């Protein structure tokens, strides 16, 4: 089994003291666990968390990037600035931003290209809504989102980008798709990746996200084409975040 990527999306939660404490607990508990970890605090917490994770087994990620370089873009944070803080990953196209801020696939692709150009690995999120799933549109939706969000995105190596499959209806709800549904969706994503990125698509990591917990992690993360997880709620406690990795490593042993 290849090493899993365990990514924590802290969303807009916490305080400076809490970010530092959580990052320190993750660094401590992740020691010796055979997985790759990345924590994504809010932008306001990057400086604090950067000092805690520096030199540790835990990478630093951001929850969004600006598609443009430095200049007149009020309120945005550029990839060059993020790089200076030591960010090596960036979530782009999370469904909350697609919904709250009407982010399109085209914008998500531009953000992914900006991250890639700065040597930051974009974690590109896609996933269907409950309504789309009920109507049997999952494959079609994933197809459109992935093609659009990868437009002109050309990673030199497979490790340079990550795809996160996050069914919108599974995020923060405690609802999880069946193993068969996750397998089918991720197999479809894999075949699209091979089509769109002939040189690297076979090995690009695909994460599953949506109500992942230590209790369901071993089953989900050992499915075919699931190379890790993007975790919201359960990433806010070091025990459950690292516990997800531990559960998977224990099952594989
Ligand atoms: P959740 O969030 O783990 O709380 O469901 C996942 C995500 O939004 O990335």
């Amino acid at each position: 089994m290849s090493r899993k990527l365990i990514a924590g999306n802290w969303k807009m939660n916490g305080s400076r003291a809490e970010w530092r404490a959580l990052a320190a607990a993750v660094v401590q508990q992740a020691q010796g666990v055979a997985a790759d970890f990345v924590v994504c605090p809010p932008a306001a917490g990057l400086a604090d968390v950067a000092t805690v994770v520096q030199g540790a087994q835990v990478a630093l990620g951001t929850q969004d990037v600006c598609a443009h370089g430095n200049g007149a873009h009020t309120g945005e944070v550029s990839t060059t600035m993020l790089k200076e803080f030591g960010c090596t990953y960036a979530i782009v196209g999370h469904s909350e931003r697609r919904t709250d801020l009407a982010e399109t696939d085209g914008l998500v692709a531009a953000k992914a290209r900006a991250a890639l150009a700065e040597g930051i690995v974009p974690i590109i999120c896609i996933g269907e809504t409950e309504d789309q799933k009920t109507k049997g549109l999952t494959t079609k939706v994933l197809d459109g989102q992935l093609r659009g969000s990868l437009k002109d995105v050309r990673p030199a190596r497979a490790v340079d980008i990550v795809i996160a499959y996050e069914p919108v209806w599974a995020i923060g709800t405690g609802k999880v798709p069946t193993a068969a549904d996750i397998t089918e969706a991720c197999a479809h994503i894999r075949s699209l990746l091979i089509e769109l990125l002939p040189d690297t698509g076979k090995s690009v990591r695909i994460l599953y996200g949506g109500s992942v917990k230590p209790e369901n992690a071993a089953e989900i993360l050992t499915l075919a084409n699931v190379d890790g997880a993007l975790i919201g709620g359960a990433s806010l406690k070091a025990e459950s975040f690292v516990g997800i990795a531990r559960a998977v490593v224990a099952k594989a042993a």
Side-chain angles (χ1 to χ4, degrees):
M1 189 184 75
S2 59
R3 252 170 116 88
K4 301 293 181 186
L5 177 61
I6 307 297
N9 174 7
W10 296 356
K11 306 194 180 180
M12 201 173 73
N13 291 295
S15 64
R16 294 186 72 181
E18 285 167 348
W19 298 325
R20 284 192 293 249
L22 177 54
V26 169
V27 166
Q28 201 244 326
Q29 293 187 29
Q31 268 174 38
V33 181
D36 296 332
F37 294 94
V38 50
V39 291
C40 304
L46 286 171
D48 282 314
V49 174
T51 59
V52 178
V53 300
Q54 199 176 27
Q57 187 198 341
V58 178
L60 182 64
T62 165
Q63 299 173 15
D64 184 43
V65 299
C66 181
H68 304 286
N70 285 359
H73 302 286
T74 303
E76 297 279 12
V77 184
S78 72
T79 52
T80 23
M81 295 170 188
L82 293 165
K83 192 70 197 232
E84 207 182 344
F85 281 103
C87 281
T88 49
Y89 287 88
I91 298 169
V92 295
H94 190 280
S95 68
E96 284 150 18
R97 297 191 62 87
R98 288 179 184 265
T99 306
D100 297 352
L101 298 151
E103 289 198 359
T104 61
D105 292 329
L107 179 59
V108 174
K111 290 183 174 197
R113 291 195 297 270
L116 204 51
E118 200 62 49
I120 296 173
V121 176
I123 301 175
I124 303 168
C125 302
I126 56 172
E128 82 285 358
T129 63
E130 186 146 43
D131 185 49
Q132 289 165 333
K133 181 179 170 59
T134 312
K135 289 183 176 142
L137 297 172
T138 300
T139 306
K140 192 164 173 254
V141 168
L142 295 180
D143 208 280
Q145 286 184 338
L146 198 59
R147 284 179 197 281
S149 305
L150 280 180
K151 189 163 188 314
D152 299 326
V153 176
R154 294 283 168 272
R157 304 168 307 164
V159 290
D160 292 341
I161 68 164
V162 173
I163 306 299
Y165 169 54
E166 299 208 300
V168 178
W169 54 272
I171 295 176
T173 59
K175 293 194 239 170
V176 176
T178 62
D181 283 351
I182 296 174
T183 304
E184 190 185 334
C186 291
H188 183 65
I189 292 168
R190 176 67 67 206
S191 65
L192 274 169
L193 283 171
I194 292 169
E195 179 199 323
L196 298 168
L197 306 171
D199 299 333
T200 52
K202 193 169 146 277
S203 312
V204 166
R205 275 166 154 172
I206 302 173
L207 310 184
Y208 166 79
S211 297
V212 178
K213 302 179 182 64
E215 297 74 36
N216 60 20
E219 186 192 0
I220 298 172
L221 273 78
T222 50
L223 296 171
N225 292 306
V226 178
D227 306 304
L230 181 54
I231 302 144
S235 73
L236 295 174
K237 291 226 159 37
E239 299 75 46
S240 47
F241 181 56
V242 178
I244 286 166
R246 283 187 199 280
V248 181
V249 171
K251 182 169 173 183

